[in-house]
Amino acid sequence: MIKRIVAVAALIPAMLGATSGVASAQSAPKATAAVVTLTYDASQAGQWAAAITQGVQNWNSALHNVHLQPASSPGSADYVYKATSGWPQTTLGPIFPGGRGQVQLGQEAVTEGYDKTRIAAHETGHILGLLDHYSGPCSELMSGHGPGTACTSAKPNATEAAQVDRNYAGRTAAARPAHHQIVIDIWSGPVLTRSH
């Protein structure tokens, strides 16, 4: 009987956290036995290479359950970065090994005055399953263009990292949805999304 009470008592905080809608940095899952490794291809990213490297490093420093690394060959990557002339747009994840995600790093956002590393890290956040939150402060990476061009913060905060860790906790199998949602980040106006 005591074992059952202890088991139920241990479940209550987890159930309350799941239903309250509040993400807590303290509830971040620690590294699981199998960390999910996602590979990327930046061979088509051109002038974005340094921004991608720094953005990926920022995510890897903050996460426990997923690790990002360059693919051994371009065709084997779980997701790709491409330089484009338009607005940034990204496959909304979480993308898993064997997935086919794409990050289009659009020059329009840079032309508007936004920081390349922040853009690259923000778009990587979409690959990891995070949505935009434009009303957030500069310290919130997924606030994107909301804080304006003076914001150059390119590191996920503890809440964002905890959400990504939850997205990947204990999951190693490929997840391939029937369709992908593409998030189009127009860094100077409203948000558009489309599915395909």
Side-chain angles (χ1 to χ4, degrees), residues 16-156:
L16 289 175
T19 60
S20 69
V22 176
S24 168
Q26 288 79 18
S27 64
K30 296 301 176 199
T32 57
V35 173
V36 175
T37 298
L38 291 180
T39 60
Y40 65 87
D41 170 19
S43 65
Q44 301 174 59
Q47 64 180 337
W48 291 86
I52 292 167
T53 299
Q54 185 60 59
V56 165
Q57 182 179 341
N58 292 351
W59 277 109
N60 282 339
S61 295
L63 299 175
H64 301 289
N65 294 329
V66 63
H67 179 76
L68 309 174
Q69 68 183 38
S72 58
S73 64
S76 68
D78 300 315
Y79 71 97
V80 298
Y81 291 99
K82 293 183 178 185
T84 68
S85 59
W87 292 102
Q89 55 184 307
T90 306
T91 306
L92 180 61
I95 298 295
F96 287 90
R100 292 289 170 233
Q102 187 176 109
V103 177
Q104 294 185 20
L105 296 167
Q107 183 60 36
E108 286 290 331
V110 176
T111 301
E112 291 283 326
Y114 292 95
D115 180 73
K116 278 186 176 182
T117 304
R118 181 169 170 84
I119 295 167
H122 172 93
E123 298 305 322
T124 302
H126 290 314
I127 285 288
L128 298 171
L130 297 180
L131 295 170
D132 290 311
H133 186 242
Y134 293 133
S135 62
C138 178
S139 61
E140 187 177 319
L141 180 58
M142 299 314 289
S143 65
H145 72 271
T149 57
C151 178
T152 60
S153 174
K155 294 182 179 181

